[in-house]
Amino acid sequence: MQESASLAQHLLQSSPDALLVVDARGIIRYANATTESLFGLPAAQLVGQPLDVLIPERFRTRHGALLAGFVRAPANREMGARINDLFARRADGVEFPAGIRLSPFSYEGTDCIAVAVRDMTERRMISNALVAAREEADRANRAKSRFLAAASHDLRQPMQVIRLLNASLLRLIQADDVQRDLLQRQEQAIDSASNLLNALLDISRLESGAIEPDLTAVELAGVFAGLQREFEPSAAARGLNLQIAPTDLRLLTDRTMFVQLMQNLIGNALKYTEKGNVLVEQQLDADSLILTVVDTGIGIPEDKLARIFDEYYQVDSHAGTKRQGVGLGLAIVREVARILGFVVTVSSRQGEGTTVRVRIPRKQLLRDARQAAGSAPAVARAVPAQRCNVLLVEDNASVRAATEMFLGLEGFQTRSAAGPTEAEALIATLQPGDILITDFRFGGTVTGLDVLHHARSRHPFRVPAVLLSGDLESMLRAIREPVPDCRFLSKPVDVQVLLAALAELSAAHPP
Ligand code: ADP
């Protein structure tokens, strides 16, 4: 008994923390030996002094109020929410960051507080170093994203040329099956490279923090109709049933990003489903609209679920099935959800299917569906093309030449100009039924949209047009007003989509 009391005494004196007992008025009643090494004052000298002597002057008033509060509602707790908040003061006036724990107790009828103080200098240095390392990593990550954005953007022009030249060759080589097969394979490879470029550009732009959401009223029905049109052909080709539940809800959100998120989720559901259905449904609960994308596909193993939102992550057990993506789709979903304030969760059973839930805060829901701005961008449907005349305005010589060749082989009469100024004379000669195809960005401030407005102002008829851009999203953001009889397409353009757009425009604008 005596031994354990003596042991407790030693423990108290040489505890790694400085230990003090303070009364309700803040007067030090006891200090252990560690107090001396921490504060540079013998314990005996501290007893009877106010606790304030150990606190930097600028904190004393606040500390008095905190002590009074603690006495009113005593509890065992750590002072200060973050270690960087608290400082103590040595006898020589030097301050150090301190971690302080308080514990109330009663001694011979008097309320007392046990105070344990430890020097946090080292921990704070480590914490600062971690913050600095994190900031450095973030900076490096943003630089990587900017580089990726620039590189993938610049690769689009040559990719566009390759795509058009390949399409032209495919057109020319009719007879030889071997050559045709080779070109078709090449076309598939070009499509994959284009998809990768698009995904890289999307993710790097989203991650670089350069994108501010452009909030407008978005009618879900319009977006879903567009998605149904976009995915229906591939679902049908694979014998899958794609069903999107009708809705009249409207959201205040960024249309482009919202579409991008849904495209990735529906695209995945179709990609990873061999047979059965892909359903898109909506549900309202007390605080959210929940959009679910449910598939009856191969599912995702439980231990992989946490990683599927990482960049370039693909589930290995899907290796047996043909890989179709690059592992960026869900990273894009993650970034879009972060920007738009959605929460995306996934549940899945291997071999049975996957359900993705997108939780959208109810405050983003709008009431009156009639005021919705804009409708879904029309997805071109191929109808037999009428071969009209085309005026092409494109500043990149290789893209211009490849486009001219491709359109020529497709039977279009094409005249081209290297920029808005050069296009001037040709614009004057446009006839009803002629279509303008123009790049959106040229070197200066004049855009393809300006070229189109100018062309329309010169003629009594409405000139139909296709606007092409290496950065479709930025082009759509830059265009504030709806532009009738104009299709907006991304470079490198899918030649079938371009032909379908030309067919649609020319059907609506016969010569
Ligand atoms: P990917 O381009 O490979 O589809 P994502 O980032 O979109 O990349 O998805 C990451 C991985 O998550 C996919 O490779 C796939 O293994 C898995 N995955 C995503 N959605 C589904 C789904 N609906 N069903 C099964 N597996 C899925």
Side-chain angles (χ1 to χ4, degrees):
M1 182 69 193
Q2 217 176 5
E3 190 195 328
S4 89
S6 149
L7 209 57
Q9 189 58 30
H10 274 93
L11 172 69
L12 196 61
Q13 285 300 334
S14 53
S15 141
D17 291 343
L19 298 176
L20 301 136
V21 174
V22 177
D23 67 19
R25 291 174 304 134
I27 303 297
I28 299 170
R29 293 288 167 209
Y30 170 84
N32 72 348
T34 318
T35 319
E36 181 168 350
S37 54
L38 198 59
F39 289 99
L41 258 184
Q45 278 187 33
L46 279 172
V47 172
Q49 297 217 49
L51 189 61
D52 277 358
V53 296
L54 305 180
I55 295 166
E57 219 158 314
R58 63 185 189 287
F59 295 131
R60 284 184 190 160
T61 319
R62 186 161 66 116
H63 184 259
L66 288 174
L67 181 71
F70 185 81
V71 171
R72 274 199 302 279
N76 191 337
R77 67 179 173 90
E78 182 146 6
M79 277 179 77
R82 286 168 291 147
I83 54 164
N84 286 3
D85 283 342
L86 288 179
F87 286 88
R89 179 180 179 275
R90 292 167 51 87
D92 58 9
V94 173
E95 293 181 15
F96 63 89
I100 303 175
R101 284 206 73 87
L102 306 174
S103 171
F105 68 99
S106 181
Y107 180 69
E108 294 182 348
T110 314
D111 288 335
C112 294
I113 305 162
V115 184
V117 186
R118 83 173 41 166
D119 185 350
M120 302 292 268
T121 308
E122 201 176 330
R123 185 138 11 136
R124 188 160 166 202
M125 270 160 45
I126 294 171
S127 148
N128 287 347
L130 282 176
V131 169
R134 169 82 213 226
E135 279 169 4
E136 182 53 39
D138 285 349
R139 247 198 313 278
N141 196 32
R142 280 197 299 275
K144 176 215 72 180
S145 297
R146 278 198 302 276
F147 164 75
L148 273 179
S152 43
H153 182 261
D154 292 351
L155 277 167
R156 285 171 175 238
Q157 300 277 40
M159 189 58 78
Q160 168 85 340
V161 175
I162 298 171
R163 198 166 213 181
L164 290 163
L165 292 181
N166 199 70
S168 302
L169 279 172
L170 256 170
R171 194 124 243 295
L172 283 172
I173 297 170
Q174 304 273 3
D176 186 334
D177 282 350
V178 179
Q179 288 175 349
R180 204 171 169 76
D181 181 48
L182 282 176
L183 283 172
Q184 262 156 358
R185 282 169 199 236
Q186 184 156 293
E187 190 176 44
Q188 279 163 12
I190 295 168
D191 284 348
S192 307
S194 299
N195 290 340
L196 173 59
L197 274 183
N198 286 337
L200 276 175
L201 187 66
D202 287 343
I203 190 68
S204 48
R205 290 177 76 246
L206 289 167
E207 278 189 341
S208 69
I211 298 186
E212 283 288 321
D214 180 11
L215 302 181
T216 57
V218 175
E219 219 178 324
L220 288 189
V223 170
F224 288 168
L227 290 167
Q228 182 90 41
R229 277 198 300 268
E230 179 179 348
F231 287 103
E232 186 57 48
S234 62
R238 305 194 44 226
L240 299 170
N241 170 29
L242 170 64
Q243 260 182 45
I244 306 183
T247 171
D248 60 359
L249 292 172
R250 276 194 322 147
L251 287 180
L252 182 65
T253 195
D254 183 299
R255 163 185 281 279
T256 314
M257 285 194 213
F258 179 68
V259 170
Q260 208 174 8
L261 178 137
M262 292 306 296
Q263 277 171 330
N264 277 299
L265 295 181
I266 298 174
N268 275 351
L270 290 170
K271 248 188 332 194
Y272 300 106
T273 300
E274 244 103 72
K275 58 177 193 298
N277 313 301
V278 171
L279 306 176
V280 181
E281 291 167 329
Q282 316 92 35
Q283 246 177 291
L284 279 168
D285 73 7
D287 46 22
S288 316
L289 162 68
I290 304 154
L291 298 180
T292 50
V293 181
V294 189
D295 67 55
T296 53
I298 56 178
I300 302 164
E302 175 125 31
D303 61 326
K304 304 289 193 304
L305 276 177
R307 297 206 49 201
I308 55 171
F309 287 92
D310 293 351
E311 279 99 340
Y312 306 109
Y313 184 79
Q314 299 186 297
V315 177
D316 315 330
S317 57
H318 294 178
T321 58
K322 191 166 147 259
R323 277 202 177 173
Q324 295 161 336
V326 290
L328 284 174
L330 289 181
I332 291 171
V333 167
R334 179 198 71 204
E335 285 303 304
V336 167
R338 179 180 62 76
I339 294 170
L340 298 183
F342 302 170
V343 176
V344 180
T345 50
V346 182
S347 55
S348 188
R349 268 177 185 273
Q350 251 189 303
E352 290 182 21
T354 301
T355 299
V356 183
R357 288 186 183 78
V358 183
R359 201 169 258 281
I360 302 171
R362 243 179 195 265
K363 61 176 191 290
Q364 297 188 21
L365 270 180
L366 297 170
R367 299 207 174 277
D368 182 4
R370 277 163 303 166
Q371 290 164 13
S375 58
V379 175
R381 225 171 330 125
V383 290
Q386 290 186 22
R387 297 325 188 195
C388 54
N389 296 328
V390 169
L391 167 54
L392 172 69
V393 189
E394 167 63 66
D395 58 355
N396 181 298
S398 318
V399 176
R400 197 168 59 244
T403 314
E404 261 185 65
M405 180 190 290
F406 169 72
L407 291 174
L409 286 166
E410 287 294 331
F412 294 93
Q413 286 287 333
T414 309
R415 290 169 302 159
S416 66
T421 319
E422 296 83 340
E424 190 64 48
L426 293 175
I427 283 173
T429 67
L430 282 170
Q431 297 292 318
D434 292 357
I435 298 179
L436 172 70
I437 301 181
T438 172
D439 205 2
F440 184 66
R441 294 247 176 258
F442 300 102
T445 52
V446 178
T447 67
L449 189 65
D450 299 324
V451 175
L452 174 60
H453 285 325
H454 174 65
R456 288 187 176 175
S457 72
R458 294 283 308 264
H459 297 286
F461 50 90
R462 186 187 278 163
V463 179
V466 175
L467 256 72
L468 291 166
S469 170
D471 187 350
L472 182 65
E473 209 178 300
S474 296
M475 173 166 74
L476 292 176
R477 278 168 201 286
I479 293 166
R480 298 264 137 211
E481 302 281 309
V483 190
D485 297 301
C486 181
R487 299 285 173 270
F488 299 95
L489 302 181
S490 167
K491 271 184 177 178
V493 71
D494 179 324
V495 288
Q496 293 309 327
V497 172
L498 177 63
L499 288 178
L502 291 174
E504 233 183 303
L505 290 169
S506 94
H509 297 266

